Amino acid sequence: MKQSSNKYWFDKDLDNYLPTFKRFPIALERGQGARLWDVEGNQYLDMLAGIAVNNLGHCHPAVSEAICKQAKRLMHISNFFVSKPQAELSELLLKESGMDRIFFTNSGAESVEGAIKVARKYSHHNNRTGEIVFMHNAFHGRTLATIAAGKKDYQRGFGPIPQGFNAIPFNDLEAASRQISHKTAAVIVEPVQGEGGIIPADLEYLLALREICSRQGALLIFDEIQCGIGRTGKLFAKDHYGVEPDIVTLAKGLGGGMPIGAILCNEKVASAIEPGDHGTTFGGNPLACAASLATLHFILDHQLLPHVETLSKWFFKELNRRKAIYPVINQIRGKGLMIGIVLNEEAKPWVMKMMDRGVIANATAGNVIRLVPPLTITRDELAEFLSVFDQLLSDKINLNEEN
C-alpha cells in the first residue's frame, strides 16, 4: 500500500494508537489559513479549526515566526525561574481581562482542574465545604475531576468518581436558586456551551448566578476554553454579558495552535493560595507563551474582533434564511464564529457528506453541526461552505420527494 494514501496512515494509527478516538478516515499533512490538505493532495475548507484552537488559521505567519524565533532562543526552563514571554503574557491577559492573577497550564482540562483546586482552597480557607455546582450538558474535560463535572456517559467505567459535584439545569434560574447555598464552594458554567450543542447562556441567567454566588459566598467560574480568545466576537465571552466571574479558564485558541491554557482569578481568590498549593512543569513555558503573545497581539492589533462580529451577522442571516426554507433545520444558535446548526435528525451523516465535498466540520450533541472556523476566515470562504451546505439541503429535498 502506498505510504502517500489516507488508508495507509489511517490503518497505521489503528494499529498503534490507544482506541480513544473515532477519527475521520483522512490523514492531514499541511495547512494554510482556513485550508487543509491530506496526504493524497485533497484540499478541504476547515470549519473546525482543530476544535476552536487555530483561531488565526493554520500556520499563521505571526505565530509561526514567533515560535521559530523563540525555539532558537529558549524553550523550557521550568517554573523555578521567570521568563520574559511568560511575564509579558501574564501582563497582557490580566490587562485585557480585568482579572488580577494568572496561572498557566497546558490544556483546558488542566485549567479546569486547577480552577477547582483553587476554588476549594479558597472555600476551605474561609471555613466552607468544597461542593462544586455545574450544569447539565456541560463539558469541562476528560480528567477525573472534569468528568465528575460532566455527563454521566463520560463517567461510565471510571469509578470511583470524585465526590462533591452537583449538576443543575443550564439556564434555569429556579434550580440555581435552590441548589447554590452556603455549602457551595463554586459554580462553574460555560458562557456558551460547546460540546453540549453550542448553547449560549441567557443574560439574565449569568447575572442571577453572579448575584446568587455573591450572596451565598460561593465563587463563580467561567469556563471560556472554547468560547474565549475572540471566538464570540469579544476577546472574552464574559464581555458580552457584563458579568465578572471570580475565575476564568482558558485554553484552545490561546496559543494559536500551540498547547497552552490559563487560570485567571481575582485578588480575593488569590489571597487563599500559598507556594506549593499548585504547580506545573511545562505550563507557561517560553515557547508556548511566545506563540500566545503573537496570537493575542494579532487579534488585538489587526481589528480581528470587529471582523468576527461583521462576518457573524452576515453568516447567521444566511443560515437563518435557509432555516426558513428547509424543515430539516430546527435552529441556528451561537455567538460570533461559534455556531451550531441544529437539525431535526442526526448530524454526523451530514458532517461526513461535507467532508466528501471538501469541508471539515463536526457533529456534537447528536443533532448539531458545530462550526468553529478560524477567526481569519473570509466571507468568500464562508460562502463556499454555504454552497456545499446548499447542495446537501437540495439532496435532502430530492430524497424526500423520491420517497
PDB file of all heavy atoms in Angstrom, residues 192-228:
ATOM      1  N   VAL A 192     -20.963  29.973  26.747  1.00  0.00           N
ATOM      2  CA  VAL A 192     -21.584  29.306  25.597  1.00  0.00           C
ATOM      3  C   VAL A 192     -21.193  27.834  25.687  1.00  0.00           C
ATOM      4  O   VAL A 192     -20.013  27.495  25.584  1.00  0.00           O
ATOM      5  CB  VAL A 192     -21.119  29.880  24.246  1.00  0.00           C
ATOM      6  CG1 VAL A 192     -21.858  29.199  23.096  1.00  0.00           C
ATOM      7  CG2 VAL A 192     -21.308  31.384  24.183  1.00  0.00           C
ATOM      8  N   GLN A 193     -22.161  26.955  25.905  1.00  0.00           N
ATOM      9  CA  GLN A 193     -21.841  25.535  25.967  1.00  0.00           C
ATOM     10  C   GLN A 193     -21.380  25.054  24.593  1.00  0.00           C
ATOM     11  O   GLN A 193     -22.036  25.327  23.583  1.00  0.00           O
ATOM     12  CB  GLN A 193     -23.058  24.723  26.417  1.00  0.00           C
ATOM     13  CG  GLN A 193     -23.364  24.877  27.899  1.00  0.00           C
ATOM     14  CD  GLN A 193     -24.367  23.833  28.395  1.00  0.00           C
ATOM     15  OE1 GLN A 193     -25.184  23.324  27.644  1.00  0.00           O
ATOM     16  NE2 GLN A 193     -24.294  23.519  29.682  1.00  0.00           N
ATOM     17  N   GLY A 194     -20.256  24.345  24.569  1.00  0.00           N
ATOM     18  CA  GLY A 194     -19.688  23.883  23.318  1.00  0.00           C
ATOM     19  C   GLY A 194     -20.120  22.482  22.952  1.00  0.00           C
ATOM     20  O   GLY A 194     -20.975  22.281  22.091  1.00  0.00           O
ATOM     21  N   GLU A 195     -19.550  21.487  23.655  1.00  0.00           N
ATOM     22  CA  GLU A 195     -19.922  20.093  23.400  1.00  0.00           C
ATOM     23  C   GLU A 195     -21.403  19.849  23.653  1.00  0.00           C
ATOM     24  O   GLU A 195     -22.002  18.932  23.085  1.00  0.00           O
ATOM     25  CB  GLU A 195     -19.097  19.155  24.299  1.00  0.00           C
ATOM     26  CG  GLU A 195     -17.608  19.178  24.041  1.00  0.00           C
ATOM     27  CD  GLU A 195     -17.252  18.593  22.697  1.00  0.00           C
ATOM     28  OE1 GLU A 195     -17.906  17.617  22.279  1.00  0.00           O
ATOM     29  OE2 GLU A 195     -16.329  19.121  22.050  1.00  0.00           O
ATOM     30  N   GLY A 196     -22.008  20.651  24.492  1.00  0.00           N
ATOM     31  CA  GLY A 196     -23.431  20.499  24.798  1.00  0.00           C
ATOM     32  C   GLY A 196     -24.352  20.913  23.670  1.00  0.00           C
ATOM     33  O   GLY A 196     -25.568  20.749  23.773  1.00  0.00           O
ATOM     34  N   GLY A 197     -23.784  21.509  22.592  1.00  0.00           N
ATOM     35  CA  GLY A 197     -24.618  21.842  21.448  1.00  0.00           C
ATOM     36  C   GLY A 197     -24.613  23.298  21.029  1.00  0.00           C
ATOM     37  O   GLY A 197     -25.540  23.759  20.373  1.00  0.00           O
ATOM     38  N   ILE A 198     -23.593  24.057  21.413  1.00  0.00           N
ATOM     39  CA  ILE A 198     -23.479  25.493  21.075  1.00  0.00           C
ATOM     40  C   ILE A 198     -24.710  26.242  21.601  1.00  0.00           C
ATOM     41  O   ILE A 198     -25.550  26.748  20.844  1.00  0.00           O
ATOM     42  CB  ILE A 198     -23.290  25.730  19.558  1.00  0.00           C
ATOM     43  CG1 ILE A 198     -22.258  24.764  18.976  1.00  0.00           C
ATOM     44  CG2 ILE A 198     -22.892  27.177  19.320  1.00  0.00           C
ATOM     45  CD1 ILE A 198     -20.861  24.912  19.513  1.00  0.00           C
ATOM     46  N   ILE A 199     -24.811  26.295  22.916  1.00  0.00           N
ATOM     47  CA  ILE A 199     -25.963  26.927  23.576  1.00  0.00           C
ATOM     48  C   ILE A 199     -25.472  28.105  24.410  1.00  0.00           C
ATOM     49  O   ILE A 199     -24.795  27.917  25.432  1.00  0.00           O
ATOM     50  CB  ILE A 199     -26.708  25.930  24.484  1.00  0.00           C
ATOM     51  CG1 ILE A 199     -27.063  24.651  23.719  1.00  0.00           C
ATOM     52  CG2 ILE A 199     -27.959  26.583  25.066  1.00  0.00           C
ATOM     53  CD1 ILE A 199     -27.630  23.554  24.597  1.00  0.00           C
ATOM     54  N   PRO A 200     -25.776  29.336  24.020  1.00  0.00           N
ATOM     55  CA  PRO A 200     -25.369  30.495  24.815  1.00  0.00           C
ATOM     56  C   PRO A 200     -26.169  30.583  26.113  1.00  0.00           C
ATOM     57  O   PRO A 200     -27.353  30.242  26.157  1.00  0.00           O
ATOM     58  CB  PRO A 200     -25.686  31.692  23.915  1.00  0.00           C
ATOM     59  CG  PRO A 200     -25.846  31.115  22.542  1.00  0.00           C
ATOM     60  CD  PRO A 200     -26.391  29.737  22.741  1.00  0.00           C
ATOM     61  N   ALA A 201     -25.510  31.041  27.155  1.00  0.00           N
ATOM     62  CA  ALA A 201     -26.219  31.328  28.405  1.00  0.00           C
ATOM     63  C   ALA A 201     -27.084  32.567  28.224  1.00  0.00           C
ATOM     64  O   ALA A 201     -26.724  33.492  27.487  1.00  0.00           O
ATOM     65  CB  ALA A 201     -25.208  31.555  29.531  1.00  0.00           C
ATOM     66  N   ASP A 202     -28.240  32.577  28.887  1.00  0.00           N
ATOM     67  CA  ASP A 202     -29.080  33.776  28.888  1.00  0.00           C
ATOM     68  C   ASP A 202     -28.425  34.848  29.740  1.00  0.00           C
ATOM     69  O   ASP A 202     -27.809  34.555  30.779  1.00  0.00           O
ATOM     70  CB  ASP A 202     -30.459  33.463  29.462  1.00  0.00           C
ATOM     71  CG  ASP A 202     -31.234  32.461  28.628  1.00  0.00           C
ATOM     72  OD1 ASP A 202     -30.972  32.371  27.409  1.00  0.00           O
ATOM     73  OD2 ASP A 202     -32.090  31.760  29.205  1.00  0.00           O
ATOM     74  N   LEU A 203     -28.560  36.105  29.311  1.00  0.00           N
ATOM     75  CA  LEU A 203     -28.011  37.219  30.084  1.00  0.00           C
ATOM     76  C   LEU A 203     -28.561  37.215  31.501  1.00  0.00           C
ATOM     77  O   LEU A 203     -27.812  37.349  32.483  1.00  0.00           O
ATOM     78  CB  LEU A 203     -28.341  38.544  29.391  1.00  0.00           C
ATOM     79  CG  LEU A 203     -27.988  39.812  30.183  1.00  0.00           C
ATOM     80  CD1 LEU A 203     -26.497  39.881  30.487  1.00  0.00           C
ATOM     81  CD2 LEU A 203     -28.445  41.058  29.409  1.00  0.00           C
ATOM     82  N   GLU A 204     -29.866  37.040  31.626  1.00  0.00           N
ATOM     83  CA  GLU A 204     -30.492  37.057  32.952  1.00  0.00           C
ATOM     84  C   GLU A 204     -29.948  35.938  33.838  1.00  0.00           C
ATOM     85  O   GLU A 204     -29.822  36.098  35.055  1.00  0.00           O
ATOM     86  CB  GLU A 204     -32.012  36.923  32.824  1.00  0.00           C
ATOM     87  CG  GLU A 204     -32.696  38.087  32.120  1.00  0.00           C
ATOM     88  CD  GLU A 204     -32.536  38.046  30.596  1.00  0.00           C
ATOM     89  OE1 GLU A 204     -32.046  37.001  30.093  1.00  0.00           O
ATOM     90  OE2 GLU A 204     -32.860  39.054  29.951  1.00  0.00           O
ATOM     91  N   TYR A 205     -29.607  34.828  33.207  1.00  0.00           N
ATOM     92  CA  TYR A 205     -29.106  33.685  33.966  1.00  0.00           C
ATOM     93  C   TYR A 205     -27.735  33.982  34.559  1.00  0.00           C
ATOM     94  O   TYR A 205     -27.503  33.752  35.754  1.00  0.00           O
ATOM     95  CB  TYR A 205     -29.042  32.456  33.065  1.00  0.00           C
ATOM     96  CG  TYR A 205     -28.661  31.190  33.801  1.00  0.00           C
ATOM     97  CD1 TYR A 205     -29.486  30.653  34.772  1.00  0.00           C
ATOM     98  CD2 TYR A 205     -27.468  30.520  33.515  1.00  0.00           C
ATOM     99  CE1 TYR A 205     -29.146  29.486  35.452  1.00  0.00           C
ATOM    100  CE2 TYR A 205     -27.123  29.355  34.182  1.00  0.00           C
ATOM    101  CZ  TYR A 205     -27.968  28.848  35.150  1.00  0.00           C
ATOM    102  OH  TYR A 205     -27.626  27.695  35.825  1.00  0.00           O
ATOM    103  N   LEU A 206     -26.834  34.492  33.754  1.00  0.00           N
ATOM    104  CA  LEU A 206     -25.490  34.781  34.264  1.00  0.00           C
ATOM    105  C   LEU A 206     -25.511  35.919  35.289  1.00  0.00           C
ATOM    106  O   LEU A 206     -24.768  35.886  36.279  1.00  0.00           O
ATOM    107  CB  LEU A 206     -24.540  35.109  33.119  1.00  0.00           C
ATOM    108  CG  LEU A 206     -24.207  33.947  32.172  1.00  0.00           C
ATOM    109  CD1 LEU A 206     -23.112  34.358  31.194  1.00  0.00           C
ATOM    110  CD2 LEU A 206     -23.774  32.696  32.940  1.00  0.00           C
ATOM    111  N   LEU A 207     -26.352  36.907  35.060  1.00  0.00           N
ATOM    112  CA  LEU A 207     -26.492  37.982  36.047  1.00  0.00           C
ATOM    113  C   LEU A 207     -26.992  37.425  37.377  1.00  0.00           C
ATOM    114  O   LEU A 207     -26.494  37.789  38.456  1.00  0.00           O
ATOM    115  CB  LEU A 207     -27.455  39.058  35.536  1.00  0.00           C
ATOM    116  CG  LEU A 207     -26.942  39.959  34.411  1.00  0.00           C
ATOM    117  CD1 LEU A 207     -28.084  40.780  33.830  1.00  0.00           C
ATOM    118  CD2 LEU A 207     -25.827  40.878  34.916  1.00  0.00           C
ATOM    119  N   ALA A 208     -27.966  36.518  37.300  1.00  0.00           N
ATOM    120  CA  ALA A 208     -28.508  35.914  38.520  1.00  0.00           C
ATOM    121  C   ALA A 208     -27.481  35.022  39.200  1.00  0.00           C
ATOM    122  O   ALA A 208     -27.375  35.020  40.434  1.00  0.00           O
ATOM    123  CB  ALA A 208     -29.772  35.126  38.199  1.00  0.00           C
ATOM    124  N   LEU A 209     -26.716  34.250  38.421  1.00  0.00           N
ATOM    125  CA  LEU A 209     -25.669  33.421  39.020  1.00  0.00           C
ATOM    126  C   LEU A 209     -24.672  34.274  39.790  1.00  0.00           C
ATOM    127  O   LEU A 209     -24.238  33.909  40.890  1.00  0.00           O
ATOM    128  CB  LEU A 209     -24.931  32.625  37.936  1.00  0.00           C
ATOM    129  CG  LEU A 209     -25.595  31.387  37.362  1.00  0.00           C
ATOM    130  CD1 LEU A 209     -24.646  30.694  36.393  1.00  0.00           C
ATOM    131  CD2 LEU A 209     -26.012  30.405  38.466  1.00  0.00           C
ATOM    132  N   ARG A 210     -24.308  35.410  39.200  1.00  0.00           N
ATOM    133  CA  ARG A 210     -23.373  36.308  39.885  1.00  0.00           C
ATOM    134  C   ARG A 210     -23.959  36.796  41.210  1.00  0.00           C
ATOM    135  O   ARG A 210     -23.259  36.815  42.249  1.00  0.00           O
ATOM    136  CB  ARG A 210     -23.038  37.493  38.987  1.00  0.00           C
ATOM    137  CG  ARG A 210     -22.124  38.571  39.572  1.00  0.00           C
ATOM    138  CD  ARG A 210     -20.700  38.108  39.807  1.00  0.00           C
ATOM    139  NE  ARG A 210     -20.543  37.322  41.044  1.00  0.00           N
ATOM    140  CZ  ARG A 210     -19.412  36.752  41.420  1.00  0.00           C
ATOM    141  NH1 ARG A 210     -18.323  36.846  40.664  1.00  0.00           N
ATOM    142  NH2 ARG A 210     -19.354  36.065  42.547  1.00  0.00           N
ATOM    143  N   GLU A 211     -25.209  37.155  41.188  1.00  0.00           N
ATOM    144  CA  GLU A 211     -25.853  37.666  42.408  1.00  0.00           C
ATOM    145  C   GLU A 211     -25.986  36.570  43.456  1.00  0.00           C
ATOM    146  O   GLU A 211     -25.700  36.787  44.640  1.00  0.00           O
ATOM    147  CB  GLU A 211     -27.219  38.245  42.042  1.00  0.00           C
ATOM    148  CG  GLU A 211     -27.910  39.003  43.174  1.00  0.00           C
ATOM    149  CD  GLU A 211     -28.641  38.092  44.153  1.00  0.00           C
ATOM    150  OE1 GLU A 211     -29.181  37.074  43.691  1.00  0.00           O
ATOM    151  OE2 GLU A 211     -28.659  38.403  45.369  1.00  0.00           O
ATOM    152  N   ILE A 212     -26.404  35.379  43.040  1.00  0.00           N
ATOM    153  CA  ILE A 212     -26.583  34.270  43.981  1.00  0.00           C
ATOM    154  C   ILE A 212     -25.250  33.858  44.587  1.00  0.00           C
ATOM    155  O   ILE A 212     -25.140  33.646  45.803  1.00  0.00           O
ATOM    156  CB  ILE A 212     -27.255  33.062  43.288  1.00  0.00           C
ATOM    157  CG1 ILE A 212     -28.676  33.413  42.844  1.00  0.00           C
ATOM    158  CG2 ILE A 212     -27.289  31.852  44.220  1.00  0.00           C
ATOM    159  CD1 ILE A 212     -29.293  32.388  41.905  1.00  0.00           C
ATOM    160  N   CYS A 213     -24.222  33.742  43.751  1.00  0.00           N
ATOM    161  CA  CYS A 213     -22.905  33.350  44.259  1.00  0.00           C
ATOM    162  C   CYS A 213     -22.378  34.379  45.249  1.00  0.00           C
ATOM    163  O   CYS A 213     -21.831  34.023  46.308  1.00  0.00           O
ATOM    164  CB  CYS A 213     -21.919  33.179  43.100  1.00  0.00           C
ATOM    165  SG  CYS A 213     -22.172  31.674  42.135  1.00  0.00           S
ATOM    166  N   SER A 214     -22.528  35.647  44.933  1.00  0.00           N
ATOM    167  CA  SER A 214     -22.060  36.698  45.845  1.00  0.00           C
ATOM    168  C   SER A 214     -22.804  36.643  47.170  1.00  0.00           C
ATOM    169  O   SER A 214     -22.213  36.774  48.246  1.00  0.00           O
ATOM    170  CB  SER A 214     -22.236  38.073  45.191  1.00  0.00           C
ATOM    171  OG  SER A 214     -21.441  38.184  44.037  1.00  0.00           O
ATOM    172  N   ARG A 215     -24.108  36.409  47.087  1.00  0.00           N
ATOM    173  CA  ARG A 215     -24.920  36.354  48.309  1.00  0.00           C
ATOM    174  C   ARG A 215     -24.574  35.146  49.169  1.00  0.00           C
ATOM    175  O   ARG A 215     -24.555  35.223  50.395  1.00  0.00           O
ATOM    176  CB  ARG A 215     -26.399  36.355  47.920  1.00  0.00           C
ATOM    177  CG  ARG A 215     -27.363  36.170  49.086  1.00  0.00           C
ATOM    178  CD  ARG A 215     -28.759  36.644  48.737  1.00  0.00           C
ATOM    179  NE  ARG A 215     -29.136  36.369  47.368  1.00  0.00           N
ATOM    180  CZ  ARG A 215     -29.709  35.244  46.952  1.00  0.00           C
ATOM    181  NH1 ARG A 215     -29.956  34.267  47.822  1.00  0.00           N
ATOM    182  NH2 ARG A 215     -30.061  35.087  45.681  1.00  0.00           N
ATOM    183  N   GLN A 216     -24.284  34.020  48.523  1.00  0.00           N
ATOM    184  CA  GLN A 216     -24.010  32.780  49.253  1.00  0.00           C
ATOM    185  C   GLN A 216     -22.529  32.607  49.601  1.00  0.00           C
ATOM    186  O   GLN A 216     -22.164  31.652  50.291  1.00  0.00           O
ATOM    187  CB  GLN A 216     -24.480  31.576  48.436  1.00  0.00           C
ATOM    188  CG  GLN A 216     -25.969  31.511  48.220  1.00  0.00           C
ATOM    189  CD  GLN A 216     -26.735  31.197  49.509  1.00  0.00           C
ATOM    190  OE1 GLN A 216     -26.157  30.954  50.571  1.00  0.00           O
ATOM    191  NE2 GLN A 216     -28.061  31.214  49.434  1.00  0.00           N
ATOM    192  N   GLY A 217     -21.680  33.509  49.121  1.00  0.00           N
ATOM    193  CA  GLY A 217     -20.252  33.397  49.405  1.00  0.00           C
ATOM    194  C   GLY A 217     -19.540  32.371  48.542  1.00  0.00           C
ATOM    195  O   GLY A 217     -18.430  31.932  48.864  1.00  0.00           O
ATOM    196  N   ALA A 218     -20.168  31.960  47.446  1.00  0.00           N
ATOM    197  CA  ALA A 218     -19.565  30.993  46.519  1.00  0.00           C
ATOM    198  C   ALA A 218     -18.840  31.732  45.399  1.00  0.00           C
ATOM    199  O   ALA A 218     -19.163  32.881  45.079  1.00  0.00           O
ATOM    200  CB  ALA A 218     -20.634  30.075  45.929  1.00  0.00           C
ATOM    201  N   LEU A 219     -17.873  31.056  44.801  1.00  0.00           N
ATOM    202  CA  LEU A 219     -17.158  31.625  43.662  1.00  0.00           C
ATOM    203  C   LEU A 219     -17.883  31.290  42.366  1.00  0.00           C
ATOM    204  O   LEU A 219     -18.537  30.260  42.253  1.00  0.00           O
ATOM    205  CB  LEU A 219     -15.735  31.085  43.610  1.00  0.00           C
ATOM    206  CG  LEU A 219     -14.848  31.364  44.818  1.00  0.00           C
ATOM    207  CD1 LEU A 219     -13.470  30.735  44.634  1.00  0.00           C
ATOM    208  CD2 LEU A 219     -14.727  32.868  45.077  1.00  0.00           C
ATOM    209  N   LEU A 220     -17.733  32.173  41.374  1.00  0.00           N
ATOM    210  CA  LEU A 220     -18.296  31.944  40.049  1.00  0.00           C
ATOM    211  C   LEU A 220     -17.152  31.735  39.065  1.00  0.00           C
ATOM    212  O   LEU A 220     -16.274  32.597  38.922  1.00  0.00           O
ATOM    213  CB  LEU A 220     -19.156  33.136  39.621  1.00  0.00           C
ATOM    214  CG  LEU A 220     -19.819  33.039  38.238  1.00  0.00           C
ATOM    215  CD1 LEU A 220     -20.738  31.823  38.149  1.00  0.00           C
ATOM    216  CD2 LEU A 220     -20.595  34.326  37.921  1.00  0.00           C
ATOM    217  N   ILE A 221     -17.145  30.572  38.398  1.00  0.00           N
ATOM    218  CA  ILE A 221     -16.108  30.218  37.433  1.00  0.00           C
ATOM    219  C   ILE A 221     -16.713  30.216  36.042  1.00  0.00           C
ATOM    220  O   ILE A 221     -17.712  29.540  35.791  1.00  0.00           O
ATOM    221  CB  ILE A 221     -15.519  28.819  37.723  1.00  0.00           C
ATOM    222  CG1 ILE A 221     -14.974  28.738  39.149  1.00  0.00           C
ATOM    223  CG2 ILE A 221     -14.428  28.483  36.717  1.00  0.00           C
ATOM    224  CD1 ILE A 221     -14.569  27.320  39.561  1.00  0.00           C
ATOM    225  N   PHE A 222     -16.101  30.959  35.130  1.00  0.00           N
ATOM    226  CA  PHE A 222     -16.482  30.907  33.722  1.00  0.00           C
ATOM    227  C   PHE A 222     -15.464  30.040  32.982  1.00  0.00           C
ATOM    228  O   PHE A 222     -14.266  30.346  32.981  1.00  0.00           O
ATOM    229  CB  PHE A 222     -16.489  32.301  33.099  1.00  0.00           C
ATOM    230  CG  PHE A 222     -17.756  33.082  33.321  1.00  0.00           C
ATOM    231  CD1 PHE A 222     -18.744  32.623  34.182  1.00  0.00           C
ATOM    232  CD2 PHE A 222     -17.961  34.299  32.676  1.00  0.00           C
ATOM    233  CE1 PHE A 222     -19.908  33.351  34.395  1.00  0.00           C
ATOM    234  CE2 PHE A 222     -19.116  35.039  32.869  1.00  0.00           C
ATOM    235  CZ  PHE A 222     -20.094  34.559  33.736  1.00  0.00           C
ATOM    236  N   ASP A 223     -15.943  28.970  32.369  1.00  0.00           N
ATOM    237  CA  ASP A 223     -15.108  28.144  31.514  1.00  0.00           C
ATOM    238  C   ASP A 223     -15.184  28.716  30.104  1.00  0.00           C
ATOM    239  O   ASP A 223     -16.160  28.517  29.386  1.00  0.00           O
ATOM    240  CB  ASP A 223     -15.585  26.690  31.546  1.00  0.00           C
ATOM    241  CG  ASP A 223     -14.752  25.768  30.673  1.00  0.00           C
ATOM    242  OD1 ASP A 223     -14.011  26.275  29.808  1.00  0.00           O
ATOM    243  OD2 ASP A 223     -14.855  24.536  30.832  1.00  0.00           O
ATOM    244  N   GLU A 224     -14.123  29.432  29.714  1.00  0.00           N
ATOM    245  CA  GLU A 224     -14.067  30.036  28.382  1.00  0.00           C
ATOM    246  C   GLU A 224     -13.049  29.318  27.496  1.00  0.00           C
ATOM    247  O   GLU A 224     -12.469  29.919  26.589  1.00  0.00           O
ATOM    248  CB  GLU A 224     -13.738  31.524  28.493  1.00  0.00           C
ATOM    249  CG  GLU A 224     -14.803  32.341  29.185  1.00  0.00           C
ATOM    250  CD  GLU A 224     -14.919  33.760  28.653  1.00  0.00           C
ATOM    251  OE1 GLU A 224     -14.351  34.034  27.578  1.00  0.00           O
ATOM    252  OE2 GLU A 224     -15.570  34.584  29.311  1.00  0.00           O
ATOM    253  N   ILE A 225     -12.854  28.051  27.750  1.00  0.00           N
ATOM    254  CA  ILE A 225     -11.861  27.295  26.986  1.00  0.00           C
ATOM    255  C   ILE A 225     -12.211  27.262  25.507  1.00  0.00           C
ATOM    256  O   ILE A 225     -11.345  27.460  24.654  1.00  0.00           O
ATOM    257  CB  ILE A 225     -11.705  25.886  27.574  1.00  0.00           C
ATOM    258  CG1 ILE A 225     -10.974  25.978  28.924  1.00  0.00           C
ATOM    259  CG2 ILE A 225     -10.955  24.959  26.624  1.00  0.00           C
ATOM    260  CD1 ILE A 225     -11.174  24.803  29.820  1.00  0.00           C
ATOM    261  N   GLN A 226     -13.468  27.036  25.180  1.00  0.00           N
ATOM    262  CA  GLN A 226     -13.881  27.005  23.780  1.00  0.00           C
ATOM    263  C   GLN A 226     -14.410  28.346  23.292  1.00  0.00           C
ATOM    264  O   GLN A 226     -14.204  28.711  22.137  1.00  0.00           O
ATOM    265  CB  GLN A 226     -14.941  25.918  23.560  1.00  0.00           C
ATOM    266  CG  GLN A 226     -15.261  25.677  22.100  1.00  0.00           C
ATOM    267  CD  GLN A 226     -16.072  24.409  21.859  1.00  0.00           C
ATOM    268  OE1 GLN A 226     -16.806  24.304  20.885  1.00  0.00           O
ATOM    269  NE2 GLN A 226     -15.937  23.435  22.736  1.00  0.00           N
ATOM    270  N   CYS A 227     -15.057  29.098  24.145  1.00  0.00           N
ATOM    271  CA  CYS A 227     -15.712  30.334  23.705  1.00  0.00           C
ATOM    272  C   CYS A 227     -14.861  31.585  23.895  1.00  0.00           C
ATOM    273  O   CYS A 227     -15.273  32.677  23.520  1.00  0.00           O
ATOM    274  CB  CYS A 227     -17.059  30.507  24.402  1.00  0.00           C
ATOM    275  SG  CYS A 227     -16.977  30.674  26.202  1.00  0.00           S
ATOM    276  N   GLY A 228     -13.649  31.443  24.464  1.00  0.00           N
ATOM    277  CA  GLY A 228     -12.797  32.603  24.709  1.00  0.00           C
ATOM    278  C   GLY A 228     -11.855  32.917  23.566  1.00  0.00           C
ATOM    279  O   GLY A 228     -11.854  32.282  22.522  1.00  0.00           O
TER     280      GLY A 228
END
